[in-house]
Amino acid sequence: MIAVSMPPLSGFPPALVRRLVIKIGSALLVDPAGQVRVDWLRTLVADVAARKSAGQQVIIVSSGAIALGARRLKLPKGGRGSLEDAQAAAATGQIALSQCWASLLDECGITAAQMLVTLDDLENRRRYLNASATLERLMTLGVVPVVNENDSVATAEIRFGDNDRLAARIGQAARADAVVLLSDVDGLYTANPHVDADAMLIETIERIDARIAAMADGGSASGMGSGGMTSKIEAARIATGAGAHLAIISGKVDAPLSHWTNGGKGSIFLAAPAKRARKGWLAGRLTVSGRIIVDAGAERALGQGNSLLPAGVASVEGVFARGDVVDIMTPDGRTIARGLSEYDSEEAARIAGKRSEDIAVLLGHLPRSVLVHRDHMAMV
Ligand code: GLU
């Protein structure tokens, strides 16, 4: 008999993963008739209770508000036909969803807490640190936070839209060791397993390169949630960049975490070596205010850990203020770094390509010598 050795991280055991974020997609939580799948959820909550008893701290990121609310309000297109519909559905569904989580967790003697956050709450550094402190306190109090996007107030342009990336950002804010996405697929395949019989599951992903990114097919298979494989890979990029492992496993079985622990399938994206927290926050941001296009010399200098000097800048795009987050890109559109600009966009455009000694004359005041300081820059 051939012994099959399981990777030690499989199942994210409490001994290796002290703090875990579990994300549950809409199609798992809500049945086609619009009811919460309470029996299944009870098996998941039992999994959570077992992990908590074993010393693991758990944060839940729960979708399902829009799906649940849309059925209750009888809205077309699953409530996603317009922003107003989605917001009304979310407001209606969220209250039912939280009641459900609170009572099921309570059955197992666990206190639940609710946190509704917007993309802005996590992109604004002060609010991010606040959310982070709240999560930390809830963890030390032994509470299980149930998190969702505050869909009823988020605007169309400024929202996560999918809870995969929200889960990764929450993992980062909570300094979690790992994030697990419970999904209607059981991992990342080399091709779409529904249409290609030769598609193979990839168990461990050490680095998200172009080959891995190309395996994503976009779109949600269930049509209920909004995340597809693309958003899962983006979530993996955020989580692993922040030093957390991320797994995709199937939630289509009862007690999905025990099932995974006992040899069930799954894909694990391994955490990158931990970056400094501030740099991780920068790299994981989803929105930037502008772009600074640099030449090959500047690209090399940044790669060697140097700050960005105005001399290496080819052009500036977008409108940003001093201290805003900008992407630093090559002329062919590749993002190489992200950082806080020391100048606003108008001044940055004026000093682009200029040597530091000419800048004082140009601006009429003593300039800061760098455009983006290396301490406020993360390579991506
Ligand atoms: N926040 C949305 C909801 O609760 C779900 C987003 C998603 O589909 O991932 O319905």
Side-chain angles (χ1 to χ4, degrees):
M1 209 175 87
I2 303 167
V4 181
S5 70
M6 292 233 306
L9 267 174
S10 187
F12 286 160
L16 297 177
V17 171
R18 191 180 59 99
R19 191 170 285 181
L20 176 67
V21 175
I22 306 170
K23 180 258 171 177
I24 303 110
S26 302
L28 296 173
L29 271 158
V30 184
D31 69 19
Q35 301 300 322
V36 177
R37 296 178 59 226
V38 177
D39 292 342
W40 174 82
L41 203 51
R42 197 169 269 125
T43 70
L44 172 65
V45 169
D47 270 354
V48 169
R51 280 167 180 263
K52 277 197 54 80
S53 309
Q56 194 165 61
Q57 298 175 334
V58 174
I59 296 167
I60 288 169
V61 172
S62 172
S63 304
I66 297 178
L68 204 57
R71 300 304 195 289
R72 298 202 168 184
L73 299 173
K74 300 191 174 37
L75 295 171
K77 298 187 181 162
R80 292 175 192 266
S82 70
L83 183 61
E84 291 79 3
D85 275 6
Q87 297 195 308
T92 309
Q94 185 62 43
I95 195 163
L97 196 61
S98 23
Q99 264 167 11
C100 192
W101 278 112
S103 73
L104 290 182
L105 286 164
D106 185 60
E107 282 175 15
C108 294
I110 300 172
T111 305
Q114 174 170 269
M115 277 179 75
L116 298 178
V117 295
T118 60
L119 178 70
D120 239 15
D121 292 333
L122 299 180
E123 304 272 292
N124 171 292
R125 178 112 186 126
R126 273 188 58 202
R127 294 216 295 279
Y128 171 84
L129 292 176
N130 231 358
S132 176
T134 307
L135 286 164
E136 189 63 45
R137 186 68 186 121
L138 290 169
M139 293 289 95
T140 58
L141 290 167
V143 168
V144 169
V146 180
V147 184
N148 197 359
E149 183 162 15
N150 197 352
D151 289 306
S152 49
V153 300
T155 62
E157 318 78 60
I158 313 172
R159 61 194 293 263
F160 281 100
D162 68 79
N163 278 5
D164 299 321
R165 294 179 305 165
L166 172 66
R169 275 301 244 174
I170 288 293
Q172 185 176 28
R175 293 184 299 112
D177 304 293
V179 177
V180 56
L181 308 177
L182 297 189
S183 172
D184 47 5
V185 289
D186 51 15
L188 177 67
Y189 281 82
T190 51
N192 185 338
H194 299 298
V195 294
D196 187 340
D198 294 332
M200 276 173 23
L201 181 90
I202 310 176
E203 277 187 5
T204 311
I205 298 102
E206 282 181 21
R207 227 172 63 82
I208 304 171
D209 52 21
R211 201 176 49 93
I212 295 293
M215 289 171 192
D217 56 355
S220 153
S222 65
M224 258 202 216
S226 54
M229 202 42 87
T230 308
S231 71
K232 290 182 177 42
I233 289 179
E234 276 179 42
R237 217 188 280 280
I238 296 169
T240 58
H245 308 294
L246 181 138
I248 303 170
I249 65 167
S250 170
K252 285 167 96 178
V253 290
D254 283 350
L257 296 175
S258 314
H259 183 260
W260 185 35
T261 303
N262 297 325
K265 286 186 195 168
S267 295
I268 301 181
F269 295 78
L270 296 177
K275 291 183 184 160
R276 280 181 38 213
R278 184 181 174 88
K279 294 204 173 192
W281 173 79
L282 262 174
R285 273 184 62 118
L286 305 181
T287 52
V288 292
S289 310
R291 284 165 296 279
I292 296 177
I293 319 298
V294 300
D295 63 20
E299 183 182 357
R300 256 194 318 279
L302 297 190
Q304 291 161 358
N306 295 307
S307 297
L308 176 64
L309 301 177
V313 175
S315 60
V316 173
E317 293 173 6
V319 178
F320 50 89
R322 174 166 188 246
D324 277 356
V325 179
V326 292
D327 268 345
I328 301 172
M329 304 177 77
T330 59
D332 58 359
R334 206 160 28 84
T335 304
I336 49 180
R338 183 165 288 177
L340 303 179
S341 177
E342 297 283 342
Y343 287 89
D344 66 31
S345 47
E346 197 196 313
E347 284 186 340
R350 283 171 62 199
I351 63 176
K354 301 284 187 302
R355 290 179 316 161
S356 301
E357 47 269 38
D358 300 332
I359 294 174
V361 182
L362 242 167
L363 296 181
H365 60 79
L366 195 64
R368 288 168 292 278
S369 59
V370 300
L371 187 46
V372 181
H373 195 279
R374 61 185 178 162
D375 285 352
H376 303 307
M377 187 189 327
M379 303 303 288
V380 294

